[in-house]
Every structure is written in structure tokens, then in C-alpha cells.
């Protein structure tokens, strides 16, 4: 890390740009953004644009071969409906665009940083095969990727409850209990998995109602999971990012689904009848958002005795 900083300092000095340390957007002040109604997004976007334009490398020219690869990936995502490519496919595409072998990982890293693609792995060239699913998968449709995660991280489920309770036909009434377990325990039953993202033939009536009556018309601009293959692609992503875990035959554990009001530790975990000991941990400094959610999921992948049926995940 120190060597990288030294190189950065040297490059900045050569360019005549003083290095001022960490840059805080908007002076470090938080920006309030709603993921359900979109409030605050426009102002936050303007803040990001102002910050980007103030950076010393803004509008620096890219090699023509890099631009060609960027355009080809955009065409694959928008016109062909591709969501992912493998690393080897990406290397072949880079070759076709005239990018030399030594720059293959450079262009992947650059396009990842620009938000054109997302590759949740360090450079794989020197990682022995077989690569893991996450190492070998490059997501080329970033709006779809955002929608895939959006179905999990938003916490306003009132429209879903209202639909199952008041609108849905009798055959769907039983899904209300599944929706309640989702909101209270962070457990997603397969019966309502298809209700998190639009839209299959079986959930068409639900999503039509959601867009007209449920207030989610602005939230979804494309079909995210129109078939089982689409759901499997999303589940692969969320599992390998440690966001969800197959908890039982029918349910997935997903602590991120829990709203902040349900994240308080249930007092029953400290009951002397059930637990004669406890340990307290004190963390110094601020941990990243979602740290404990991912920690719980990773623990569940290693230990099968974790039971979230009686308390919040």
C-alpha cells in the first residue's frame, strides 16, 4: 500500500498537481437519499458530478481500443440482453478490440472503476485455476446489477403486505405469512422469491398492481428476473457476495432484509435459562455498512446449528 502511495505522489508531482490527502465529498456531510421514492437522488447526483469534474484526471482521453471494448460491452448488455461474461470471454473481447495481452487486466480494472462493468475479484491472471464463481464472473449490465441488489436492500414492504392481505386472490393469501417472516426474521421463502424482482408470468398481476397502486412505478425501469434463469443468476450473485444463504429447504437467510427497527438484539438471547454465559465485544472505529450482515451469513455457511426461527436474524 505504501509503494502505491509513493507512486501516486510521484505521478502527482510530475503532473504539477499537489496531493492533498483524502478528498471528502461535500465536506464529509451525509446525503439523505430514499431508495423507495427517489427523494434526494437528484441532489446527490449533482454533488457527485461536481466532485468528478473537480478531479485532476477528469476528461482524460482513453485509448481507442478501450473505447471500442466499452462500446462492445454496452451493445452486448443493451441489445443482446447479456448480464455476465466470463474472464476468458472478456480477454477474447479485448483481443478482438486490439488490446494487448499485458493490458487485459488493466482495462478490466479501469472499466470496473468507471462503473461500466463490475468484477468482484482481484486480478485473476496469477490466481491458480479453477477460479471461484465470483472470480470468473464479470457483470456487464450494471443497471441490472443495481436492480438485483435493490430487491434485497430496500426495507419498505408495506405495499407487499397490503397486496397479499387485501388484493391477492385466495390462492396467494398464504404468502402473507411468508412476507411477515421476511420482514421480521430476515428469511425469504421460495414462494415469495419471485415477488422481490419484476417480473415472471406468475407475478404479472402483482407487479401491475405495484406500479399502479403500490407506488413503485419509478422504482423499476426494466425486467430484472423474467424467468427462473434470471432468478438463479441473481441468487448466484447474492450467495457469492455473502448477502444471502440457503437456510433450509425452502428459505434463504438474508439479514440485510431487516429494517433498522428490527435489528436490535432480542433479549431472549441473554436468557439465563437458555444461555449461561455471554461474551461482549467492543469494536473501535466505524465498521463498514453491512459488515455484521455479511458476518452472519458467512457464519451460517460454516455452522449449521444457527437457528433464526425464534429471533431476528
Amino acid at each position: 500500500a505504501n509503494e502505491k502511495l509513493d507512486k501516486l505522489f510521484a505521478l502527482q508531482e510530475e503532473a504539477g498537481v499537489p496531493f492533498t490527502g483524502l478528498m471528502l465529498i461535500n465536506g464529509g456531510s451525509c446525503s439523505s437519499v430514499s431508495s423507495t421514492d427517489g427523494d434526494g437522488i437528484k441532489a446527490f447526483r449533482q454533488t457527485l458530478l461536481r466532485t468528478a469534474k473537480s478531479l485532476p484526471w477528469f476528461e482524460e482521453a482513453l485509448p481507442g481500443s478501450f473505447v471500442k471494448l466499452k462500446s462492445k460491452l454496452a451493445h452486448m448488455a443493451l441489445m443482446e440482453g447479456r448480464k455476465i461474461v466470463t474472464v476468458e470471454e472478456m480477454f477474447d473481447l479485448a483481443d478482438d478490440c486490439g488490446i494487448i495481452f499485458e493490458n487485459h487486466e488493466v482495462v478490466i480494472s479501469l472499466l470496473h472503476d468507471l462503473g461500466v462493468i463490475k468484477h468482484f475479484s482481484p486480478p485473476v491472471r496469477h490466481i491458480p485455476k479453477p477460479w471461484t464463481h465470483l472470480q470468473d464472473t464479470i457483470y456487464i449490465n450494471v443497471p441490472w446489477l443495481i436492480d438485483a441488489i435493490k430487491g434485497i436492500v430496500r426495507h419498505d414492504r408495506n405495499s407487499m403486505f397490503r397486496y397479499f392481505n387485501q388484493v391477492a386472490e385466495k390462492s396467494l393469501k398464504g404468502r402473507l405469512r411468508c412476507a411477515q417472516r421476511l420482514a421480521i426474521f430476515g428469511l425469504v421463502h421460495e414462494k415469495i422469491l419471485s415477488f422481490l424482482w419484476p417480473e415472471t408470468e406468475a407475478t404479472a398481476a402483482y407487479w401491475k398492481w405495484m406500479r399502479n397502486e403500490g407506488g413503485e412505478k419509478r422504482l423499476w425501469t426494466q425486467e430484472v428476473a423474467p424467468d427462473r434463469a434470471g432468478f438463479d443468476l441473481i441468487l448466484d450473485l447474492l450467495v457469492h457476495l455473502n448477502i444471502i444463504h440457503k437456510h433450509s429447504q425452502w428459505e434463504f437467510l438474508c439479514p440485510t432484509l431487516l429494517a433498522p427497527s428490527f435489528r436490535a438484539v432480542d433479549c431472549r438471547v441473554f436468557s439465563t435459562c437458555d444461555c449461561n454465559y455471554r461474551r461482549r465485544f467492543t469494536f473501535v472505529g466505524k465498521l463498514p455498512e453491512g459488515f455484521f450482515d455479511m458476518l452472519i451469513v458467512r457464519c451460517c455457511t460454516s455452522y449449521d446449528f444457527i437457528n433464526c426461527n425464534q429471533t431476528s436474524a
Side-chain angles (χ1 to χ4, degrees):
N2 289 333
E3 292 178 1
K4 289 184 179 180
L5 283 175
D6 291 339
K7 290 180 180 179
L8 178 61
F9 294 154
L11 288 172
Q12 299 266 24
E13 290 177 2
E14 289 178 11
V17 179
F19 185 78
T20 57
L22 180 66
M23 175 181 287
L24 297 177
I25 296 178
N26 203 24
S29 301
C30 295
S31 298
S32 178
V33 175
S34 172
S35 63
T36 55
D37 56 23
D39 288 345
I41 292 178
K42 184 176 181 180
F44 183 55
R45 185 184 291 118
Q46 292 299 321
T47 300
L48 291 178
L49 286 173
R50 285 196 301 270
T51 303
K53 291 179 180 179
S54 69
L55 296 175
W57 312 118
F58 182 71
E59 292 187 333
E60 183 180 0
L62 292 175
S65 56
F66 285 25
V67 176
K68 186 177 180 181
L69 176 60
K70 179 182 175 183
S71 299
K72 181 172 286 191
L73 291 171
H75 183 272
M76 291 173 64
L78 298 177
M79 305 306 295
E80 300 177 18
R82 293 284 300 272
K83 305 293 191 300
I84 63 173
V85 296
T86 65
V87 171
E88 293 295 347
E89 283 183 283
M90 180 64 82
F91 289 165
D92 291 340
L93 290 169
D95 285 333
D96 294 341
C97 293
I99 300 173
I100 62 175
F101 174 83
E102 289 78 7
N103 284 340
H104 283 179
E105 290 185 346
V106 173
V107 71
I108 290 176
S109 178
L110 174 65
L111 294 180
H112 171 88
D113 291 341
L114 291 176
V116 177
I117 63 173
K118 283 298 169 184
H119 186 214
F120 301 101
S121 169
V124 298
R125 184 75 76 181
H126 304 294
I127 300 177
K129 290 186 178 182
W131 295 327
T132 66
H133 174 84
L134 214 55
Q135 290 170 341
D136 194 31
T137 303
I138 297 175
Y139 295 87
I140 64 173
N141 190 329
V142 175
W144 172 87
L145 180 67
I146 294 171
D147 281 344
I149 297 177
K150 182 168 64 181
I152 291 291
V153 298
R154 61 194 184 87
H155 304 303
D156 186 0
R157 306 290 173 183
N158 291 329
S159 296
M160 177 184 286
F161 298 150
R162 187 153 61 97
Y163 179 82
F164 288 136
N165 190 37
Q166 302 174 6
V167 182
E169 56 189 57
K170 289 184 178 180
S171 61
L172 296 177
K173 293 293 184 181
R175 285 167 172 76
L176 178 60
R177 173 171 168 75
C178 297
Q180 291 169 338
R181 286 177 63 79
L182 176 153
I184 297 173
F185 300 127
L187 293 170
V188 191
H189 198 284
E190 283 202 346
K191 287 183 177 180
I192 62 168
L193 198 60
S194 58
F195 290 88
L196 297 183
W197 302 275
E199 120 190 22
T200 63
E201 185 177 346
T203 61
Y206 168 76
W207 284 106
K208 181 179 179 180
W209 179 86
M210 285 290 277
R211 291 187 175 102
N212 295 328
E213 305 292 336
E216 295 203 1
K217 185 175 182 179
R218 296 172 56 195
L219 197 58
W220 303 99
T221 58
Q222 63 175 334
E223 288 188 352
V224 185
D227 50 31
R228 185 68 207 189
F231 281 108
D232 289 341
L233 197 58
I234 292 175
L235 292 178
D236 281 341
L237 168 69
L238 299 178
V239 166
H240 287 90
L241 289 179
N242 293 312
I243 294 176
I244 66 173
H245 169 66
K246 191 68 178 291
H247 178 65
S248 64
Q249 182 180 359
W250 304 109
E251 288 185 315
F252 291 88
L253 172 66
C254 184
T256 305
L257 285 167
L258 295 173
S261 58
F262 285 100
R263 290 172 180 266
V265 177
D266 194 297
C267 63
R268 284 172 288 181
V269 301
F270 296 123
S271 170
T272 55
C273 298
D274 300 324
C275 179
N276 296 319
Y277 62 90
R278 64 179 177 177
R279 178 175 295 178
R280 177 177 177 177
F281 295 91
T282 301
F283 294 91
V284 179
K286 182 174 175 56
L287 294 169
E289 287 292 331
F291 173 84
F292 282 107
D293 295 344
M294 297 180 71
L295 182 63
I296 290 172
V297 172
R298 294 188 67 175
C299 285
C300 288
T301 61
S302 302
Y303 306 104
D304 58 5
F305 56 80
I306 295 179
N307 188 339
C308 299
N309 285 326
Q310 299 303 318
T311 63
S312 298

